[in-house]
Amino acid sequence: MRRPRSSRSARARWLVVAGLAAIVVGGWGVWHWLDWRDYRSFEARPGTVFALELPPVVGPFDGFGVFAVDWKGPAIAVVDRGTSSRPRTFVVHRYPSGERLERRDDYSTDELAALEARGITMAPFDFDGDGDDDAIVKLEHSIEVRSGSADSPSVLFASDEPREYVTYERFTLLPDVDGDGWSELAVLQPRTDRSTWDFAPLDARWTAQSRLCVVSGKLASAARR
């Protein structure tokens, strides 16, 4: 028995509606996946010696302390002062290999003071090794290291992340850690768990991690040539 024409017409309409709904939901899913993947990617930094994965930050004032220390040789200390969701920790890495030398979880005040006492003195920040003190300039969406030379003022290093506003301090000036005549730079690329304040279900399941790059002034200068 043939179905009535009205029944076939209703079935066709439902198929069209279901198809359109699948296209809308699928398109939304693809867009959200691409946005989440892009948020987890990191800008390549010229002159990077080594990079560290760090926890996501939870606000504009949540950052990581970074400074150079003498740990039987030059090293970089990264201090996480902790939040309500993560414990305080410090980790020491050999420069320039990035090898982990020491880690302290839930460190004491005395342990942190002992670490800070081993800090390498910060001389004038000379990123391009020309003898002039270079400067940090903060713009609307980017941060730049600019040459202090009056003869050839130029941008020596820049970081542009227009979508990233979760922390104010992304550059940490470091001394000439390895004694090659060029200062070093620590660059934080912060990421947050956006599911806590936005509709980002993938972040709730796979939280994006922050990254810290330790950049050699000498290598970054060579990359510009």
Side-chain angles (χ1 to χ4, degrees), residues 12-195:
R13 286 196 298 270
W14 276 111
L15 287 174
V16 170
V17 170
L20 291 175
I23 291 172
V24 170
V25 171
W28 176 86
V30 170
W31 174 85
H32 189 72
W33 160 255
L34 292 174
D35 174 70
W36 178 79
R37 185 188 65 179
D38 182 51
Y39 190 71
R40 291 177 66 92
S41 66
F42 294 98
E43 176 187 354
R45 310 293 183 179
T48 296
V49 177
F50 65 87
L52 309 171
E53 188 175 85
L54 299 174
V57 298
V58 295
F61 301 105
D62 179 25
F64 301 88
V66 185
F67 52 97
V69 295
D70 182 359
W71 203 274
K72 296 183 179 179
I76 302 295
V78 181
V79 180
D80 181 355
R81 292 182 169 81
T83 66
S84 59
S85 60
R86 66 176 193 265
R88 56 187 183 182
T89 303
F90 74 69
V91 185
V92 181
H93 297 267
R94 174 68 66 213
Y95 186 88
S97 69
E99 174 194 359
R100 179 185 292 183
L101 302 175
E102 183 77 17
R103 178 187 175 99
R104 296 287 176 88
D105 295 319
D106 196 23
Y107 57 80
S108 67
T109 302
D110 290 342
E111 287 174 327
L112 180 59
L115 176 67
E116 292 174 338
R118 301 175 73 162
I120 298 174
T121 302
M122 181 68 196
F125 179 68
D126 184 11
F127 194 64
D128 57 0
D130 65 356
D132 293 307
D133 193 3
D134 302 318
I136 297 294
V137 177
K138 297 181 182 180
L139 306 175
E140 182 178 3
H141 293 306
S142 64
I143 307 175
E144 297 176 348
V145 177
R146 293 187 181 176
S147 172
S149 172
D151 297 331
S152 58
S154 61
V155 176
L156 305 176
F157 189 91
S159 174
D160 185 13
E161 293 195 53
R163 296 187 307 110
E164 189 51 72
Y165 49 83
V166 294
T167 188
Y168 299 128
E169 299 300 328
R170 291 198 287 116
F171 279 15
T172 299
L173 307 185
L174 297 172
D176 178 10
V177 182
D178 53 7
D180 62 5
W182 285 261
S183 297
E184 271 59 69
L185 180 70
V187 184
L188 174 64
Q189 299 173 81
R191 296 292 185 267
T192 60
D193 174 3
R194 295 175 297 173
S195 66

